[in-house]
Amino acid sequence: MKKQSKMRVISLSLILFLLIIVVIPTKSIAAPQTVSLGTTSRFAVLAGSTITNTGTTTIDGSVGADIGLYPGTAFEGRTNVTVSGGEIHMTDTNASKAKDDLLTAYNDAAGRPKDVTIAADLGGTTLSPGTYKSESSIQITGTLTLDAMGDPEAIFIFQAGSTLTTASYSTINLVNGAQFSRVFWQVGSSATLGTYSHFEGHILAMESITANTGAKIMGQLLAQNGAVTLDSNSITNGINIAIVTPTPMVTPTVTPTPTVTPTVTPTVTPTVTPTVTPTVTPAVTPTVTPTPTITPTPTVTPTPILVIAVPTTAPGTVTGGQLPKTATPWYNVFLTGTVLTLVGGIMAWSNRKH
Amino acid sequence: MYKIKLTKGKTYLVTILSIGFIVVGIGCITWAMINIGAQPDYSVPYEYTTEVANIKSEPSPVPLAIDIDKNLYPVDPSAGDNIGSLTIPALNQELPIIQGTGTDELKEGVGHFIQSVLPGEEDNCVLSGHRDTVFAKLGKLKIGDQLIVETSAGIYTYEIDATRIVDKDDKTVIVPTDHAVLTLSTCYPFDFFGDAPDRYIITADLVTNK
């Protein structure tokens, strides 16, 4: 009798234990957490060995347009990179810290349990939020659609065992609230983005990343060990803008003026207030439809464009500049040449005499 | 028998060495000649125009406070750009001013030291030139001689107020100033052969701008 009850307790606890084991992972599959990028989120481009750019590349981002390099030092074609809203960190502590954070983020993304094993080519498919894994490479030819199904918090994680390659003119299409800042590509070796392709998401590559001519990237190019190669690209990174989207907040509540101001975040206020105040006094409801102006995207990024180049002219003259070298070596070379010829001639002459 | 062989070997070695010396020597001469020839000749007599003569005849109160706009140059020139000309009436010279003081820029004319303000601006503008080409005759300039700089922002006339010789590592030449100053630097001594451990410095104050 006693033994039986003991057995029951054991079996019950076993079932409970099994349930916990089964439920917890399924729950985490249902709502995967975003991959924490740490300080890496500030960088649009981060590389280990070198950064090479050809053509004119523009990098934008409200806070995430930095370029970092560590431990490498060579950034070729830097003058043709236009950065707005970011800084260049060459082999400094910021870049070093970001590289550490990148490794953490990479391991986090790589360690996520997969929901679905995917075919090598994702072109022409539509995927819902989740974690997708390919043991070898991932290829995108044509259009890949990522459908967040109305959830702006939805996370897409792609794990490529080896390479990620997108074909020329391929596109990633984000629909129903999907956001590039919530799409992560963990790449076991290297990533290559095709010419004039359109890419969305953060690339966390173990080796290098190559963006071919004209490739447009919404997100980040983060290469742990190797190089990042750019060619006439446009890269946009930053805090996700789409979180501001819920327009219904504004439309129904516009009965009196006070309710508008608090809900509309600081960036929006200037455009709203002037249009609202004059008409509100007698009859509010029909006239107050200023919603079209609240499309958040253009107002969020007013940062001035600054061209990253070695500052050509200082705001003032520096203190203690090194005086330039203003003697050519050519007269000395000429003199040396004359002496050498003379010595050679004398030697040859005396030798012939012997 | 053995001795003859040895001298023969010696003769052979000396022949090879002498030929080697002559070849390297002629190579050096040719290389130097090509490079000296590649440097533009700026001894072209500068036409003493009435415009400049007028500037010179104006009484120049020194030092004077000239109302200078801080932002004379809306666009920063990039290295290698021609930013204007430097006219030295006393030497009959008109020299192009190139942005930057690297080897390539100094080959083209007078180099503007990038970390100094542009000509005409209210601070120390530093120009450097080779002692064997553009600034070969700089030693002949005296205090009171004029230096005229013409750029996109206007024509600026400076008057030499001091000349001095400093060490090549002197840090007191390229320094900010409280008024518009033009500093010229070149290597010293002016002899074309030999080492140049010093720098010849000319400083001039802005007297007129237009």
Side-chain angles (χ1 to χ4, degrees):
Chain A
M1 191 65 184
K2 238 184 174 178
K3 205 179 170 186
Q4 217 178 4
S5 69
K6 204 179 173 186
M7 282 276 278
R8 253 163 75 181
V9 168
I10 288 172
S11 61
L12 252 167
S13 56
L14 228 144
I15 287 165
L16 213 96
F17 181 62
L18 271 171
L19 258 169
I20 288 167
I21 283 180
V22 171
V23 166
I24 285 176
T26 45
K27 218 184 156 195
S28 73
I29 284 166
Q33 291 297 301
T34 181
V35 175
S36 172
L37 294 164
T39 60
T40 307
S41 62
R42 284 174 47 196
F43 289 82
V45 172
L46 190 61
S49 62
T50 54
I51 301 174
T52 309
N53 172 58
T54 37
T56 309
T57 293
T58 46
I59 296 177
D60 277 279
S62 46
V63 288
D66 285 9
I67 297 176
L69 187 58
Y70 188 90
T73 51
F75 183 179
E76 281 173 41
R78 176 175 170 165
T79 43
N80 288 332
V81 180
T82 308
V83 178
S84 66
E87 296 163 357
I88 294 185
H89 295 283
M90 296 288 289
T91 335
D92 63 3
T93 45
N94 285 316
S96 166
K97 176 76 176 68
K99 285 296 297 293
D100 291 345
D101 289 355
L102 173 56
L103 192 63
T104 313
Y106 178 92
N107 290 333
D108 179 11
R112 297 298 176 96
K114 68 164 182 205
D115 298 334
V116 185
T117 302
I118 46 170
D121 198 330
L122 293 175
T125 58
T126 300
L127 301 176
S128 53
T131 304
Y132 299 87
K133 188 180 178 78
S134 165
E135 292 296 342
S136 58
S137 59
I138 295 180
Q139 165 86 27
I140 302 171
T141 313
T143 304
L144 163 67
T145 307
L146 302 181
D147 185 351
M149 300 191 287
D151 176 14
E153 306 270 294
I155 305 282
F156 295 86
I157 296 172
F158 295 88
Q159 300 162 331
S162 59
T163 60
L164 164 69
T165 312
T166 71
S168 300
Y169 299 98
S170 63
T171 304
I172 296 177
N173 199 7
L174 301 183
V175 295
N176 292 330
Q179 300 173 53
F180 72 83
S181 65
R182 294 181 167 266
V183 179
F184 300 89
W185 300 84
Q186 174 259 317
V187 181
S189 60
S190 298
T192 308
L193 305 180
T195 48
Y196 300 103
S197 60
H198 179 100
F199 191 85
E200 303 262 358
H202 313 267
I203 300 181
L204 316 169
M206 203 31 143
E207 296 303 328
S208 55
I209 301 172
T210 305
N212 285 324
T213 317
K216 198 177 170 212
I217 298 111
M218 300 290 287
Q220 295 174 292
L221 304 179
L222 310 171
Q224 181 65 31
N225 296 324
V228 170
T229 309
L230 306 170
D231 183 357
S232 315
N233 306 117
S234 144
I235 306 170
T236 308
N237 181 37
I239 291 179
N240 228 308
I241 309 141
I243 291 176
V244 202
T245 29
T247 30
M249 279 211 308
V250 185
T251 15
T253 52
V254 188
T255 20
T257 23
T259 46
V260 181
T261 25
T263 46
V264 182
T265 35
T267 45
V268 187
T269 28
T271 48
V272 180
T273 32
T275 46
V276 176
T277 34
T279 44
V280 166
T281 27
V284 185
T285 28
T287 47
V288 184
T289 45
T291 28
T293 51
I294 311 178
T295 36
T297 24
T299 47
V300 178
T301 48
T303 32
I305 288 179
L306 66 132
V307 177
I308 294 295
V310 185
T312 47
T313 312
T317 303
V318 290
T319 308
Q322 177 68 44
L323 287 162
K325 259 197 80 175
T326 43
T328 55
W330 308 121
Y331 292 93
N332 287 337
V333 172
F334 185 87
L335 189 69
T336 315
T338 314
V339 169
L340 274 174
T341 315
L342 272 172
V343 168
I346 289 165
M347 274 169 76
W349 187 66
S350 63
N351 199 31
R352 222 187 69 181
K353 256 177 103 182
H354 276 111
Chain B
M1 186 70 183
Y2 181 73
K3 213 178 174 183
I4 291 165
K5 229 182 180 176
L6 190 93
T7 42
K8 242 186 181 173
K10 236 181 178 174
T11 318
Y12 183 67
L13 199 88
V14 170
T15 313
I16 293 284
L17 255 171
S18 57
I19 290 173
F21 274 11
I22 292 171
V23 167
V24 173
I26 289 174
C28 280
I29 292 171
T30 320
W31 191 35
M33 291 286 267
I34 289 169
N35 277 289
I36 292 167
Q39 308 224 358
D41 182 20
Y42 294 114
S43 54
V44 192
Y46 156 72
E47 275 179 47
Y48 205 73
T49 56
T50 47
E51 185 189 48
V52 176
N54 285 342
I55 293 168
K56 200 171 185 180
S57 64
E58 275 175 24
S60 45
V62 191
L64 83 172
I66 291 170
D67 201 22
I68 300 168
D69 186 6
K70 264 272 170 189
N71 252 333
L72 293 170
Y73 301 88
V75 181
D76 278 350
S78 47
D81 284 355
N82 187 328
I83 57 173
S85 69
L86 168 69
T87 303
I88 312 173
L91 301 178
N92 279 353
Q93 271 187 313
E94 187 175 359
L95 311 161
I97 304 173
I98 312 294
Q99 176 75 333
T101 47
T103 318
D104 292 338
E105 288 88 27
L106 291 180
K107 222 185 254 176
E108 305 293 322
V110 178
H112 169 247
F113 189 74
I114 287 176
Q115 287 170 294
S116 73
V117 295
L118 285 158
E121 290 187 310
E122 202 172 320
D123 203 339
N124 191 359
C125 169
V126 181
L127 302 179
S128 297
H130 275 150
R131 65 164 180 181
D132 17 36
T133 58
V134 292
F135 280 172
K137 290 185 270 178
L138 216 60
K140 290 180 181 161
L141 290 178
K142 300 179 298 294
I143 291 171
D145 282 345
Q146 289 195 328
L147 305 170
I148 301 153
V149 178
E150 191 173 347
T151 66
S152 61
I155 301 170
Y156 302 93
T157 306
Y158 295 85
E159 214 169 80
I160 298 175
D161 74 331
T163 63
R164 57 183 169 136
I165 294 156
V166 299
D167 185 74
K168 65 174 163 38
D169 293 322
D170 194 286
K171 301 286 182 217
T172 61
V173 177
I174 303 173
V175 288
T177 52
D178 55 1
H179 59 290
V181 167
L182 185 71
T183 302
L184 306 184
S185 91
T186 192
C187 280
Y188 188 86
F190 287 108
D191 312 314
F192 291 179
F193 296 113
D195 205 20
D198 297 328
R199 299 286 180 270
Y200 190 78
I201 310 296
I202 288 181
T203 49
D205 283 326
L206 183 65
V207 287
T208 51
N209 66 329
K210 62 177 198 172

